[in-house]
Amino acid sequence: MKANASPMSVADYCLALQEKKIIVNSDYQRKDGLWTSAARSFFIESILLEYPIPKIFVYAKLDLKTRGVIKEIVDGQQRSQALTLFYENKLALSKNLETEELRGLRYNKLSEEWQTKFLSYQLPVDQFAGIPENEVREAFRRMNANNVPLNAEEQRNARYQGDFKWFINGLAEIYKESLLNIGLLSRRDVIRMVDLRLYAELVLTMEEGFITVKGAQLDRLYKKYNAGFDQADDLHEKIRFGIDFFLSHEVLHVDTILRMHVFQSVLLAIISVKYDGEFDRRADQEHPELASRVEANNYALETLIASLQEPEAYPALAEFISANSEATNTGLARATRFLYFRQAMRNFA
């Protein structure tokens, strides 16, 4: 069975929705309201920036009452709802969008150039026609059954549609190219959303300290801030400062630092030196002997980097080297990395 490509402009598609020539069939679709305003904003921004979007599938069937053809949405209800709300000036774009000139605007406040981009965007619509409805249901079932299994980050990104999810996605969008360029991320990492865990763990640490991070804690964080994330502006400033500082100092762009768990520790150290957060004080309180020893030794950043490059030459830094080895996501290892890097960054800064 084949679905035929029937692309439509946003203008034509939204008009057809208003005129009930395209309708939702609840047999295929989930309930309304699953997308938050932040999720809708991100989708509309993607349209305005002319990024490709997933296909919308419709089923064309004869309506005996009107004697005309009605198209039922098989897959794409949330996207269709977002398009309609923006088209009808009922949706204001998020003030946290990456594209500054679009922040907070409704359709009628866009420039003519942006309005033209929105209305003329060609939606990738595939249409089923001339087949029994039970075959359409089977096609829909197969479309959903054939998806590649999602990793933990992809599952969280699909499950939660609230403010925290879009805060994390916003950071990822801002820095993905920069982190690709320095070699921290691979293209596959970006596709599989590995960087989202980095930002979520940063927030978790700044809130709860240097705990052993497991998936359940990240799930709890997404759930806690799904309905609202008041700390967004404060954390956005701090995390962006940390990453921008790192990117601007090439001495940090070495292989031993460009590993996700080490990079995260360096970022937290940079943020700590600038802002002196609660997570900083908790590290000192929970590991007083370690903190005192690190401060007394006062190793320079160059020495720490050298010890990771040639560990056998720095026996005195064995605990630091061990804490930076693979599979070291325990609370103690994370605190150890942080305390050493924080002391080094105090001197570096």
Side-chain angles (χ1 to χ4, degrees):
M1 181 178 60
K2 184 178 180 181
N4 296 313
S6 303
M8 297 178 69
S9 69
V10 167
D12 290 341
Y13 189 78
C14 288
L15 183 60
L17 285 166
Q18 287 183 327
E19 295 177 346
K20 306 299 182 185
K21 293 179 180 178
I22 297 177
I23 61 173
V24 172
N25 184 329
S26 57
D27 288 346
Y28 307 118
Q29 299 297 313
R30 298 172 293 181
K31 293 180 180 179
D32 278 351
L34 293 181
W35 275 19
T36 63
S37 59
R40 292 170 180 153
S41 291
F42 188 83
F43 174 69
I44 297 300
E45 182 189 35
S46 297
I47 295 285
L48 290 166
L49 296 177
E50 300 178 323
Y51 283 110
I53 64 169
K55 287 183 178 180
I56 295 171
F57 288 87
V58 298
Y59 173 40
K61 58 189 292 187
L62 183 64
D63 180 44
L64 297 179
K65 291 182 180 179
T66 63
R67 302 179 186 179
V69 173
I70 296 292
K71 297 178 181 180
E72 297 179 340
I73 299 171
V74 176
D75 189 33
Q77 176 186 349
Q78 300 300 321
R79 282 163 281 163
S80 300
Q81 186 181 62
L83 289 168
T84 302
L85 288 171
F86 192 67
Y87 180 81
E88 295 177 348
N89 295 312
K90 296 176 181 177
L91 171 67
L93 297 177
S94 169
K95 294 180 181 179
N96 293 320
L97 287 181
E98 182 185 358
T99 312
E100 291 188 20
E101 61 186 292
L102 297 176
R103 292 175 185 171
L105 299 184
R106 298 178 187 272
Y107 169 79
N108 61 356
K109 297 298 182 181
L110 295 177
S111 67
E112 290 186 1
E113 180 182 359
W114 284 115
Q115 287 182 349
T116 300
K117 284 186 176 183
F118 177 69
L119 295 176
S120 62
Y121 183 93
Q122 291 295 301
L123 297 169
V125 181
D126 274 16
Q127 178 174 295
F128 297 104
I131 58 173
E133 190 165 347
N134 65 315
E135 291 189 22
V136 177
R137 292 197 191 95
E138 176 62 13
F140 182 67
R141 184 186 72 82
R142 287 175 178 269
M143 280 189 290
N144 286 281
N146 287 336
N147 288 332
V148 176
L150 303 180
N151 64 29
E153 302 318 311
E154 291 167 326
Q155 288 181 39
R156 290 187 193 98
N157 202 60
R159 188 182 311 129
Y160 299 102
Q161 295 296 330
D163 291 348
F164 184 75
K165 175 253 184 79
W166 294 106
F167 170 81
I168 296 297
N169 274 261
L171 286 169
E173 186 65 26
I174 291 169
Y175 287 110
K176 66 181 179 182
E177 291 300 328
S178 296
L179 299 186
L180 280 166
N181 289 338
I182 65 173
L184 180 74
L185 296 175
S186 67
R187 292 289 174 187
R188 178 173 174 78
D189 289 336
V190 173
I191 292 170
R192 299 309 304 269
M193 301 184 175
V194 172
D195 50 338
L196 300 190
R197 185 179 180 106
L198 164 69
Y199 301 115
E201 286 191 6
L202 285 171
V203 174
L204 182 66
T205 304
M206 294 169 77
E207 181 169 291
E208 298 188 21
F210 293 93
I211 60 175
T212 299
V213 179
K214 297 181 180 179
Q217 284 133 335
L218 295 177
D219 288 338
R220 187 173 67 244
L221 190 66
Y222 273 81
K223 184 176 181 180
K224 179 179 180 180
Y225 294 122
N226 198 46
F229 188 43
D230 294 339
Q231 304 95 313
D233 290 344
D234 178 60
L235 289 175
H236 192 263
E237 175 190 330
K238 292 176 179 177
I239 293 172
R240 289 205 62 175
F241 173 82
I243 299 176
D244 289 341
F245 184 97
F246 187 99
L247 292 173
S248 66
H249 292 80
E250 292 189 12
V251 67
L252 297 170
H253 304 177
V254 294
D255 290 344
T256 50
I257 300 295
L258 293 175
R259 293 181 292 165
M260 199 65 73
H261 63 292
V262 183
F263 174 73
Q264 180 187 123
S265 298
V266 175
L267 286 188
L268 288 165
I270 295 168
I271 293 168
S272 168
V273 172
K274 171 71 172 179
Y275 294 98
D276 186 29
E278 177 61 27
F279 72 94
D280 188 343
R281 289 185 286 276
R282 288 177 67 170
D284 289 325
Q285 294 166 1
E286 293 171 7
H287 306 279
E289 293 183 6
L290 173 61
S292 177
R293 188 168 62 253
V294 169
E295 186 173 356
N297 288 325
N298 197 27
Y299 290 107
L301 179 63
E302 292 80 1
T303 304
L304 297 184
I305 292 174
S307 75
L308 297 178
Q309 293 170 331
E310 299 182 74
E312 65 283 350
Y314 294 86
L317 280 165
E319 69 176 349
F320 171 73
I321 295 166
S322 176
N324 282 275
S325 64
E326 297 299 329
T328 51
N329 205 34
T330 65
L332 177 57
R334 297 179 71 235
T336 300
R337 291 196 300 268
F338 166 74
L339 289 169
Y340 272 93
F341 280 122
R342 181 189 65 179
Q343 187 64 30
M345 294 310 300
R346 283 172 174 169
N347 299 326
F348 183 81

